[in-house]
Amino acid sequence: MAIEYVCRWCGFILYKGDKPKSAEDVARYWGGKCPRCLSPISKIPHKIEVLPVRKANQIGEV
Ligand SMILES: [Zn+2]
């Protein structure tokens, strides 16, 4: 099951992969800002600026 974190403002894919990551990890990786639109990525877990999206793609299931 892959997860995706996308910027809620511009849709930039901040993280995509199979490993579960916290919003804080993603924010830290990008220095707290979306690299495309420079919107701040909140590190507060209950007020995240990124949206985890579940991929339902079953093709190529490992
Ligand atoms: Zn953005």
Side-chain angles (χ1 to χ4, degrees):
M1 181 172 67
I3 58 162
E4 237 180 49
Y5 279 86
V6 296
C7 173
R8 70 187 285 187
W9 306 110
C10 72
F12 181 84
I13 298 172
L14 299 164
Y15 172 74
K16 188 178 186 179
D18 293 328
K19 276 199 272 182
K21 264 190 190 254
S22 71
E24 189 178 7
D25 287 338
V26 176
R28 196 185 301 125
Y29 179 78
W30 292 109
K33 277 190 256 183
C34 170
R36 184 192 275 172
C37 71
L38 302 181
S39 293
I41 303 165
S42 176
K43 292 174 186 173
I44 304 165
H46 61 266
K47 207 177 173 188
I48 57 171
E49 299 285 353
V50 288
L51 303 172
V53 178
R54 267 200 207 163
K55 289 287 187 179
N57 187 359
Q58 299 297 326
I59 299 166
E61 190 180 349
V62 180

